[in-house]
Each structure stands twice: as C-alpha cells, then as structure tokens.
Amino acid sequence: MLGGSISVGEEVHGGQVHLIYPRLLGHAKRIRVLNRAVRGTGVAHPSFCLDSLLQGETPDVVLIEYAVNFDGTDDYAPFERLLRRLLRLPNHPAIVIVNTMELVPPGGRLPWEPDTTWGASPKDLSFEYRSTGAEDMINDVANYYGIPCVSLRGALFSELKANSSSFPIKQIYHDRHHPSAWGHSLMAQMVVK
C-alpha cells in the first residue's frame, strides 16, 4: 500500500486503525498487507524511495492512493515514474489505483460547517466533480499502462453531493479530505469487488 494520510488512517474515528481499508482488505482476502503509506506526502516520495519503502519485500499486489495528495501538475511525472518502477519489479505485482476525493468547496476549508446533526449545509455540498482531486489525470496515465482504478468519486459522487440518506456525507467522510471508518469500508469493498 502506497499513499498518504488516508491510507495511514488519519482521522479515522478514535484512531481505530483496524478499520482502515488496507487492513480491511487483509482481513477480507486473508492476505498480509504491507502499508507503506506516509501521511502528508505526495507521489514524488515513493517514486524516488520505492526500494526503501518496500524494504526487500516482494508484494503480489500494490495499491496506490494519492488522488488528493497531488500538488498541481508537478506530480504527473513522479506518478508515471512510480508506475514504471512498479511495473519493472521482478515479480510483476498487480497494481490497483484506489482513488478517493476531496470535498472542499471553492475557497473552502477542511472542517465541515458547524452543526449539531449529520446534516450538511449548502456550503458543505458546494464541492464540484472536477475539483475533487487529481483522479482524471491519474486515470489517464493508469489507462495508458493498463492499470485498473477504483473510484470513490465514481461510486458515490451523486449520493454525496445530494447528501442522500443512504450515504450521508458526514458519515462517509470525517472531514472534507479523510474518509470515516464507513468510507474506508466502502473503499475496501470497491477493491474486493
């Protein structure tokens, strides 16, 4: 597992890291998951430090989650470099991109608008499809290399935007950036299915 704070389990309720999607995948598929995610990092870090992150391990599957950690166009080349390095590993691991999304409105801030319910304010719901992270670019590069992608945005954007009662936005996301335990469960289910 390579990723940022989401894959580390940042902001999962009560620090229950056993509820983050890499761990859930390990339980669901009875596999050992090596989580090499580092909070607060972008894709440039693993693109240069892959060998030290793998620490001699030869993974069968590598999950990559960086859609909300991209820093503009400067991360496109490191992302492609990371994919190429992974594709050249001698054991040829399967690679899956796990795309999450940010729900930050234009000029918004990370915390939700204050309220006493699970309801969302109009500002909470003013995020747009294209401003949810770097998923579109990630998908273009991944498609070029034939690497599959799963997408929380693709699965739930309409429901989250509508704050549907089936998937209430403030129960799926802890803040506008980090999924809750329920959000992590949905991410694990996307990978498994």
Side-chain angles (χ1 to χ4, degrees):
M1 175 74 249
L2 300 172
S5 60
I6 292 170
S7 294
V8 170
E10 189 82 17
E11 301 297 333
V12 171
H13 180 70
Q16 298 175 330
V17 293
H18 65 282
L19 298 175
I20 64 174
Y21 79 97
R23 295 250 179 114
L24 294 171
L25 287 170
H27 297 306
K29 290 299 185 181
R30 292 192 171 99
I31 57 174
R32 185 171 65 107
V33 174
L34 301 173
N35 192 341
R36 301 297 192 233
V38 179
R39 59 177 49 91
T41 61
V43 71
H45 176 258
S47 76
F48 288 115
C49 302
L50 183 61
D51 294 336
S52 65
L53 288 171
L54 292 179
Q55 298 173 354
E57 298 282 347
T58 54
D60 294 320
V61 179
V62 177
L63 302 175
I64 302 171
E65 172 272 314
Y66 283 107
V68 300
N69 291 64
F70 268 58
D71 188 19
T73 58
D74 292 343
D75 282 331
Y76 298 164
F79 179 71
E80 186 170 12
R81 181 174 45 249
L82 173 62
L83 294 182
R84 287 174 162 215
R85 289 192 69 193
L86 289 167
L87 290 167
R88 286 193 308 261
L89 288 174
N91 65 318
H92 304 289
I95 302 168
V96 179
I97 308 297
V98 181
N99 285 315
T100 59
M101 62 182 165
E102 279 188 309
L103 306 172
V104 180
R109 55 191 174 86
L110 208 50
W112 296 115
E113 291 296 302
D115 67 31
T116 57
T117 68
W118 286 104
S121 73
K123 184 172 183 174
D124 287 332
L125 300 174
S126 65
F127 57 90
E128 298 299 327
Y129 188 81
R130 294 272 182 218
S131 63
T132 56
E135 182 172 340
D136 295 325
M137 186 288 307
I138 288 171
N139 289 344
D140 289 345
V141 175
N143 287 337
Y144 178 81
Y145 288 99
I147 296 170
C149 301
V150 296
S151 168
L152 197 56
R153 179 182 76 172
L156 290 178
F157 182 84
S158 298
E159 288 84 354
L160 294 176
K161 183 75 171 167
N163 196 33
S164 79
S165 58
S166 298
F167 296 100
I169 193 168
K170 289 186 178 181
Q171 291 183 25
I172 303 295
Y173 271 79
H174 172 74
D175 57 28
R176 298 176 191 274
H177 186 86
H178 300 96
S180 66
W182 186 4
H184 277 270
S185 172
L186 295 170
M187 292 164 58
Q189 291 173 51
M190 288 188 316
V191 173
V192 168
K193 292 181 181 181

